[in-house]
C-alpha cells in the first residue's frame, strides 16, 4: 500500500459513521422467520433492498458522504468473507476448549455460561475462490447513487486476524496444513488481497476494516489471562507485531486511490454490551506508526478508551476520526462538550506532530464510537434515536469544520 506524504481526504469525511445501522422491524422479523424455517431465504432480498434504499436516503438527507448499506444483508458485522474461502469451514456449537477464554468477548459469553454459536476454522490450505460475497453489497449501493458518488461508498471488512487471536495455541489451523503462524498468515493475506482486488475492480474506493482485537491488547484483564496461559508461544507484544506485519501484507498491493481505514472499539454486542477497557497508550506507537492504513476510526465515547494523549503518536500523514458520540444509548451528548473534546484531541495531535491546531484539525473528523448494530438485533436505542445521533455528529462536524463534508 503506497504511503502518502500528506493525510488523505474525502474519504475520510468530517462527519462519519461506522457502517452498521439499526434494522427495521420487518427485516428483523423476516430474517428470524428464515432462520426458523418459516420463510424462504428468497424472501429476504426485496425487504433488504427496501430497507437499504430508506437508509441511504436518510444518510444523504443528513449530509453524510461515506454512505453504507447499514450492513443490512449481514447477521454480524464481519459478514461472510471467511466461511467462503477455500480451506476455511464454519462450525456450529464449537467446543469452548478451543478458545482463549480470557479474550474479552469470549469471557463475556462465559459469564452467561454460553459459547459462541458458530465460528470459522482453517481445515485446509487457504485460498480465495475468486468470487466475493461482498461485491454484491457494493454493487447494489452503486445503483442508488450517481456515478460521481460511487467513490464515497463505505464498505466494511472483517479483521484478517479475527479467527486467529480468539483460538488457543494450536487451534487456529491444523499442524499438517500449516507449520506455523507465518505460513498461515501468508496464505490468508493472499486471499485478503484477492478480495480487495475484486472489490476495487468493482469500484470500491473507501474500505473500513473493523477490528476490536487491537483494543484487546490494551486490556489489563486480557493481558493477565495471557500471562497465565502457559500454552502461548508468544508474548502479547510479539503477537501484536506479527499482526501488524500480517495486516501490512494484506494491504501491500492496495492501489493509491483506495482509502483504507481501521476501526477499533471495545465491543458492541447485543443490548449495547461492551467487552473490554483500556486506553490506547500501550500500543499507540506501533499501531499508529507501523500499520499501513490511512485513517483510524477510534472509540472515544467513555473513559473505557482512555485519554487523547496516545494521539501524539499519530504521524502527520494519517487521519483520526474521533468516536466521541456513543451508539449504545439514546441520550444525546452535549454538542459543546463534544466540540471541546475534538479541539483537545487536535491540540495533542498538533503537539505530537509539531504543527498547529489548525493543521491537526485537517486530519480529524467526528463519528459515533461504533456501529449501531454490529449484531443484527442492534443496540439499546430506537431507529429515530439513531438518526438523532447521526444528526448530532453532522452538526458537530459543521461547526468545527464549516462548509466541509
Amino acid at each position: 500500500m503506497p504511503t502518502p506524504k500528506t493525510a488523505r481526504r474525502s474519504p475520510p469525511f468530517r462527519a462519519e459513521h461506522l457502517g452498521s445501522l439499526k434494522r427495521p422491524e420487518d427485516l428483523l422479523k423476516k430474517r428470524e422467520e428464515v432462520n426458523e424455517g418459516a420463510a424462504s431465504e428468497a424472501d429476504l432480498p426485496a425487504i433488504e433492498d427496501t430497507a437499504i434504499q430508506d437508509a441511504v436516503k436518510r444518510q444523504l438527507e443528513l449530509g453524510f458522504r461515506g454512505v453504507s448499506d447499514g450492513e443490512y444483508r449481514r447477521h454480524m458485522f464481519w459478514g461472510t468473507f471467511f466461511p467462503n474461502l477455500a480451506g476455511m469451514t464454519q462450525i456450529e456449537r464449537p467446543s469452548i476448549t478451543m478458545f482463549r477464554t480470557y479474550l474479552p468477548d469470549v469471557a463475556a459469553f462465559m459469564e452467561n455460561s454460553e459459547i459462541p454459536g458458530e465460528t470459522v476454522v482453517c481445515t485446509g490450505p487457504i485460498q480465495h475462490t475468486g468470487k466475493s460475497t461482498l461485491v454484491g453489497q457494493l454493487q447494489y449501493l452503486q445503483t442508488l447513487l450517481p456515478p460521481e458518488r460511487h467513490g464515497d461508498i463505505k464498505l466494511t471488512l472483517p479483521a484478517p486476524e479475527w479467527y486467529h487471536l480468539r483460538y488457543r495455541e494450536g487451534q487456529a489451523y491444523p499442524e499438517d496444513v500449516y507449520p506455523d503462524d507465518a505460513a498461515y498468515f501468508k496464505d490468508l493475506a493472499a486471499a485478503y488481497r484477492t478480495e480487495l482486488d475484486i472489490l476495487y475492480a468493482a469500484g470500491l474506493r473507501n474500505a473500513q476494516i473493523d477490528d476490536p482485537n487491537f483494543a484487546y491488547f490494551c486490556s489489563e484483564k486480557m493481558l493477565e489471562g495471557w500471562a497465565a496461559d502457559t500454552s502461548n508461544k508468544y508474548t502479547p507484544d510479539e503477537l501484536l507485531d506479527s499482526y501488524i506485519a500480517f495486516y501490512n501484507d494484506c494491504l501491500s498491493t492496495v492501489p493509491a486511490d483506495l482509502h483504507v481505514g481501521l476501526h477499533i472499539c471495545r465491543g458492541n454486542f447485543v443490548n449495547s454490551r461492551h467487552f473490554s477497557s483500556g486506553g490506547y497508550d500501550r500500543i499507540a506507537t506501533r499501531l499508529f506508526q507501523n500499520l499501513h492504513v490511512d485513517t483510524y476510526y477510534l472509540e472515544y465515547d467513555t473513559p473505557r478508551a482512555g485519554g487523547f494523549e496516545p494521539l501524539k503518536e499519530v504521524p502527520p500523514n494519517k487521519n483520526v476520526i474521533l468516536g466521541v458520540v456513543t451508539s449504545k444509548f439514546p441520550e444525546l451528548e452535549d454538542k459543546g462538550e463534544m466540540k471541546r473534546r475534538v479541539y483537545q484531541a487536535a491540540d495533542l495531535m498538533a503537539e505530537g506532530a509539531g504543527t498547529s491546531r489548525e493543521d491537526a484539525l485537517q486530519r480529524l473528523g467526528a463519528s459515533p464510537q461504533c456501529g449501531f448494530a454490529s449484531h443484527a438485533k442492534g443496540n439499546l436505542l430506537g431507529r429515530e434515536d439513531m438518526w438523532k445521533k447521526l444528526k448530532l455528529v453532522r452538526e458537530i462536524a459543521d461547526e468545527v469544520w464549516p462548509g466541509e463534508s
Side-chain angles (χ1 to χ4, degrees):
M1 180 175 178
T3 302
K5 294 182 180 180
T6 57
R8 298 183 56 134
R9 284 283 297 120
S10 300
F13 304 104
R14 298 305 184 199
E16 290 268 5
H17 70 81
L18 281 303
S20 70
L21 300 171
K22 290 278 288 188
R23 276 77 163 165
E25 286 301 318
D26 62 337
L27 176 55
L28 289 172
K29 185 174 186 296
K30 182 58 66 175
R31 190 174 295 280
E32 183 179 357
E33 291 173 356
V34 170
N35 292 339
E36 293 175 349
S40 168
E41 189 85 26
D43 296 335
L44 274 174
I47 298 175
E48 292 169 343
D49 288 352
T50 299
I52 292 168
Q53 291 166 20
D54 177 67
V56 168
K57 180 174 180 288
R58 295 294 295 267
Q59 290 171 74
L60 295 176
E61 288 173 348
L62 288 170
F64 281 81
R65 287 272 304 274
V67 170
S68 83
D69 66 356
E71 300 178 0
Y72 285 173
R73 302 195 196 277
R74 309 182 191 184
H75 170 62
M76 294 292 295
F77 71 89
W78 54 73
T80 52
F81 168 70
F82 284 104
N84 284 279
L85 296 177
M88 297 291 279
T89 303
Q90 181 167 307
I91 58 176
E92 305 295 326
R93 298 183 180 180
S95 170
I96 195 62
T97 59
M98 70 185 297
F99 295 94
R100 288 182 166 116
T101 54
Y102 47 86
L103 210 69
D105 57 322
V106 179
F109 281 108
M110 294 288 290
E111 287 175 9
N112 297 320
S113 301
E114 298 176 2
I115 59 173
E118 73 281 328
T119 197
V120 179
V121 295
C122 171
T123 53
I126 296 171
Q127 188 173 12
H128 200 287
T129 64
K131 294 182 179 180
S132 168
T133 61
L134 301 176
V135 71
Q137 298 171 23
L138 170 67
Q139 291 169 332
Y140 185 71
L141 277 170
Q142 290 170 339
T143 70
L144 305 180
L145 295 167
E148 63 270 20
R149 294 291 302 273
H150 288 184
D152 297 348
I153 293 170
K154 174 183 284 191
L155 190 70
T156 56
L157 304 171
E161 86 291 13
W162 184 251
Y163 288 113
H164 182 271
L165 179 62
R166 63 200 303 100
Y167 299 138
R168 291 175 62 87
E169 196 73 46
Q171 296 293 317
Y173 50 82
E175 61 180 10
D176 61 342
V177 175
Y178 292 113
D180 52 32
D181 284 353
Y184 169 79
F185 291 156
K186 180 180 178 181
D187 279 2
L188 192 47
Y192 211 90
R193 291 195 299 270
T194 298
E195 181 72 22
L196 288 171
D197 288 345
I198 293 170
L199 294 170
Y200 181 83
L204 181 67
R205 297 296 183 270
N206 186 14
Q208 174 188 300
I209 301 172
D210 292 323
D211 196 343
N213 283 342
F214 280 112
Y216 294 170
F217 287 91
C218 306
S219 166
E220 291 300 326
K221 190 173 182 179
M222 194 281 277
L223 297 174
E224 290 170 3
W226 191 282
D229 183 353
T230 58
S231 71
N232 287 322
K233 291 182 180 179
Y234 305 104
T235 68
D237 287 341
E238 290 169 339
L239 189 61
L240 177 63
D241 286 339
S242 73
Y243 283 165
I244 290 173
F246 175 32
Y247 255 85
N248 290 342
D249 192 11
C250 292
L251 302 175
S252 60
T253 59
V254 166
D257 60 342
L258 173 54
H259 168 260
V260 178
L262 175 69
H263 167 229
I264 301 174
C265 75
R266 286 151 183 77
N268 194 48
F269 199 55
V270 179
N271 294 327
S272 300
R273 175 69 188 266
H274 74 276
F275 293 134
S276 68
S277 299
Y280 301 97
D281 308 71
R282 74 176 307 276
I283 67 171
T285 301
R286 284 172 292 168
L287 177 70
F288 297 141
Q289 297 184 11
N290 299 344
L291 188 61
H292 298 166
V293 297
D294 299 303
T295 300
Y296 298 89
Y297 300 87
L298 300 178
E299 174 180 328
Y300 265 122
D301 62 326
T302 73
R304 280 196 302 273
F308 292 131
E309 287 77 9
L311 299 184
K312 293 179 183 179
E313 302 296 329
V314 179
N317 64 337
K318 294 186 178 183
N319 303 288
V320 172
I321 306 301
L322 299 166
V324 291
V325 172
T326 190
S327 67
K328 293 183 182 296
F329 304 107
E331 293 78 16
L332 287 174
E333 288 80 358
D334 179 80
K335 183 167 57 177
E337 173 63 14
M338 296 303 99
K339 290 166 56 181
R340 186 193 68 78
R341 298 196 71 207
V342 170
Y343 291 128
Q344 180 187 12
D347 288 340
L348 288 164
M349 284 181 64
E351 180 182 340
T355 63
S356 66
R357 171 191 277 190
E358 290 69 27
D359 286 339
L361 282 170
Q362 292 306 304
R363 300 189 287 123
L364 285 168
S367 74
Q369 99 294 345
C370 195
F372 290 90
S374 300
H375 181 285
K377 291 183 179 179
N379 289 344
L380 292 174
L381 75 174
R383 295 190 79 226
E384 287 307 312
D385 296 321
M386 172 183 71
W387 299 123
K388 290 176 183 177
K389 289 277 184 172
L390 293 180
K391 182 175 183 288
L392 174 61
V393 170
R394 182 69 262 178
E395 290 174 352
I396 293 167
D398 287 343
E399 294 184 19
V400 175
W401 301 278
E404 297 188 41
S405 57

